Amino acid sequence: MPKSKRAKVVHLSKTEKKGKDLTLRLYANIQECISKYPYIFVFSVENMRNTYLKDVRTQLSDSRLFFGKTKVMAVALGTDSSKEAALNLSLLTPHLTGSVGLLFTPRSPAEILSYFSSFTPLDFARAGTTATRTFTLPAGTVYSCGGEIPIEDDTPLAHGIEPTLRKLGVPSKLVKGRVELENEYVVCREGEVLGSGQTTLLKMFGVVTAEFKVALRAYWSAAKEEVVDLGAGEGGGGEGMDVEEGQ
């Protein structure tokens, strides 16, 4: 007989065990790395994208990145001087708040700071994030880039997309096979929280506004046995940061 496709009961003891195993693995891996790497950074990520995080892992292949529960990471480093895994390492734990990760690296702080200051790729915004700029569709014929580039370098928007525009709230119409607007239409204003319809329109016109950015909060130096505060506060969109362990 074929196997039943009905939902099967999953005992909580099994899921709890898996979560406990991940926690223990995260703890053990962090403890192992403390003695191997001369620098440990605490960082947060704005506009998290797994694609760009993979780029970071590839370009920093001699380093290791960890994400997980901040309490577990703090315990692994040491919550106070009597429990710290290395001298003054517990001074790093106050920076483990919010959606943060740990970077273990052999590279100098100057090199790491320089790398992340220049690695800020742009991507399409997601619903629920704040608009970083105002985007307006000009009146008249609607072009593929929505007025972002000169008309002579652009092409009129395909007429087949016009019904989709109207469904998204844009008061467009077809005039002799071209998509037209009687008046300019503001898709979003700087500072407002974006809805799904707005982000769809931004993507439709190729407007990228979300900047993937790693903010370095502090680092610990094994040689100097001290923690340096880099001044980056809490924040960052922690989307996709549920990974327990890095590369």
Side-chain angles (χ1 to χ4, degrees):
M1 295 179 63
K3 289 185 178 181
S4 172
K5 293 184 179 180
R6 291 186 300 173
K8 295 182 180 180
V9 175
V10 178
H11 295 287
L12 289 177
S13 58
K14 292 185 179 180
T15 58
E16 289 174 358
K17 184 177 185 300
K18 181 179 179 181
K20 185 176 181 181
D21 287 344
L22 289 173
T23 297
L24 291 174
R25 188 176 68 181
L26 174 64
Y27 176 87
N29 286 337
I30 289 175
Q31 286 257 302
E32 181 185 359
C33 287
I34 291 172
S35 61
K36 290 184 177 181
Y37 294 89
Y39 298 103
I40 305 173
F41 285 81
V42 176
F43 65 91
S44 59
V45 181
E46 295 179 21
N47 296 304
M48 179 68 175
R49 300 291 188 273
N50 287 329
T51 299
Y52 300 134
L53 184 61
K54 288 179 181 177
D55 291 340
V56 172
R57 292 189 189 282
T58 300
Q59 294 167 21
L60 299 182
S61 58
D62 56 351
S63 307
R64 293 197 67 177
L65 287 82
F66 294 92
F67 293 115
K69 295 180 180 178
T70 54
K71 288 184 179 180
V72 177
M73 293 192 290
V75 171
L77 297 179
T79 53
D80 56 50
S81 58
S82 65
K83 300 175 182 177
E84 59 190 12
L87 185 62
N88 290 326
L89 188 54
S90 62
L91 298 178
L92 203 59
T93 58
H95 298 279
L96 293 172
T97 57
S99 298
V100 296
L102 290 174
L103 168 66
F104 292 79
T105 182
R107 306 193 186 196
S108 69
E111 186 177 355
I112 292 297
L113 285 165
S114 175
Y115 170 76
F116 283 117
S117 66
S118 61
F119 188 77
T120 55
L122 289 172
D123 206 334
F124 296 109
R126 291 176 176 173
T129 58
T130 302
T132 57
R133 54 162 289 191
T134 297
F135 174 58
T136 303
L137 293 173
T141 301
V142 180
Y143 285 81
S144 297
C145 293
E148 292 292 284
I149 63 175
I151 291 177
E152 55 269 23
D153 297 328
D154 207 348
T155 56
L157 191 69
H159 63 83
I161 299 177
E162 196 274 333
T164 303
L165 286 180
R166 282 188 282 109
K167 286 181 180 179
L168 293 170
V170 181
S172 59
K173 62 182 179 179
L174 281 177
V175 179
K176 296 181 181 180
R178 289 200 172 195
V179 182
E180 299 277 340
L181 285 174
E182 289 188 4
N183 302 296
E184 67 176 22
Y185 179 78
V186 179
V187 174
C188 65
R189 289 184 171 83
E190 182 179 355
E192 70 178 7
V193 177
L194 296 170
S196 58
Q198 291 169 302
T199 56
T200 299
L201 286 169
L202 289 173
K203 188 172 184 178
M204 182 183 296
F205 291 100
V207 179
V208 290
T209 60
E211 184 180 68
F212 174 92
K213 186 176 182 181
V214 172
L216 299 167
R217 295 189 178 185
Y219 72 87
W220 174 81
S221 167
K224 295 183 178 180
E225 297 180 324
E226 66 178 15
V227 169
V228 177
D229 189 339
L230 297 173
E234 291 187 33
E239 303 171 24
M241 294 184 66
D242 297 328
V243 184
E244 288 293 339
E245 187 245 319
Q247 61 187 44

